[in-house]
Amino acid sequence: MPTENELIVSTLEESEVFKHKETETAQVIMLSLPSSMQHVYLLDVVVTEILKATDFSEETQEQINLAAIEAGTNAIKHGNKLDPRKRASIQFILDEDKLTIVIEDQGDGFTRQEVADPLDPANLLKSSGRGLFLMEACMDSVTYEANGTIIKMVKHLVELEAQ
């Protein structure tokens, strides 16, 4: 079990990947962060490095990075309430045709439908509350599981066809 301030970055062995993915081509990278905002920059570094090895366009990489940072920030700040004894776990599952990011916190969870709409005129001037909206706008799919303590985001690699 990691200590409060220990950062864990690990790559699963190929034999363990099959426990997490159905395809033989998946690569899984796991990151476990203490629930402190000072560690969010590490998530940014890891996401940036992972995306360098993909075929996503630069614009798509920026969208994925934004979504991952928002999800990680939400897990640390809102899920774990900045409790350094709790951790935010992030899995990056790289397939040939998509990237799946799974973020899990140790909080009480939330109901997506109860989160205020940032586009509602009453919320436009608020300084926060856009994270879920940005994640959903940047990724192809975002699902909330285990009462919102697990968020799965998927971005598909699509080749642009000549029109």
Side-chain angles (χ1 to χ4, degrees), residues 40 43-44 47-48 51 59-75 90-92 99-103 130-144 151-155:
V40 173
L43 175 57
D44 184 24
V47 173
T48 300
L51 291 172
E59 180 180 347
T60 300
Q61 288 183 30
E62 290 172 8
Q63 292 172 349
I64 294 168
N65 190 298
L66 175 61
I69 297 299
E70 289 293 337
T73 298
N74 285 350
I90 302 100
Q91 275 190 8
F92 303 91
L99 169 65
T100 303
I101 304 174
V102 181
I103 301 93
R130 293 172 185 79
L132 298 180
F133 173 79
L134 289 171
M135 291 162 34
E136 292 165 355
C138 291
M139 301 298 283
D140 293 332
S141 72
V142 178
T143 56
Y144 306 90
I151 295 177
K152 290 185 180 177
M153 305 186 298
V154 177
K155 191 69 167 186

Side-chain angles (χ1 to χ4, degrees), residues 1 35 75 79-80 83 85-88 104-109 149:
M1 184 69 174
S35 291
N80 292 342
D83 182 344
R85 296 169 296 174
K86 295 182 178 181
R87 301 185 75 80
E104 183 173 0
D105 64 56
Q106 296 176 311
D108 295 329
T149 60

Side-chain angles (χ1 to χ4, degrees), residues 9-162:
V9 181
S10 65
T11 306
L12 293 178
E13 295 298 323
E14 196 170 313
S15 62
E16 294 175 316
V17 171
F18 300 119
K19 296 177 186 174
H20 298 278
K21 290 304 297 165
E22 297 172 9
T23 65
E24 296 178 5
T25 58
Q27 177 185 5
V28 179
I29 300 167
M30 295 173 52
L31 175 65
S32 177
L33 297 173
S35 291
S36 169
M37 293 305 291
Q38 71 184 25
H39 296 292
V40 173
Y41 80 93
L42 294 169
L43 175 57
D44 184 24
V45 170
V46 170
V47 173
T48 300
E49 287 303 309
I50 289 170
L51 291 172
K52 284 181 182 178
T54 68
D55 292 327
F56 288 110
S57 70
E58 187 175 328
E59 180 180 347
T60 300
Q61 288 183 30
E62 290 172 8
Q63 292 172 349
I64 294 168
N65 190 298
L66 175 61
I69 297 299
E70 289 293 337
T73 298
N74 285 350
I76 289 170
K77 187 175 179 181
H78 302 296
N80 292 342
K81 305 204 182 318
L82 299 171
D83 182 344
R85 296 169 296 174
K86 295 182 178 181
R87 301 185 75 80
S89 300
I90 302 100
Q91 275 190 8
F92 303 91
I93 304 164
L94 293 135
D95 283 301
E96 287 182 13
D97 62 342
K98 68 182 175 185
L99 169 65
T100 303
I101 304 174
V102 181
I103 301 93
E104 183 173 0
D105 64 56
Q106 296 176 311
D108 295 329
F110 72 101
T111 302
R112 174 63 183 105
Q113 294 76 13
E114 293 178 6
V115 176
D117 179 0
L119 300 180
D120 184 308
N123 298 326
L124 288 177
L125 298 179
K126 290 185 178 178
S127 62
S128 64
R130 293 172 185 79
L132 298 180
F133 173 79
L134 289 171
M135 291 162 34
E136 292 165 355
C138 291
M139 301 298 283
D140 293 332
S141 72
V142 178
T143 56
Y144 306 90
E145 299 176 7
N147 199 33
T149 60
I150 299 174
I151 295 177
K152 290 185 180 177
M153 305 186 298
V154 177
K155 191 69 167 186
H156 293 276
L157 182 62
V158 285
E159 295 181 24
L160 299 176
E161 296 179 18

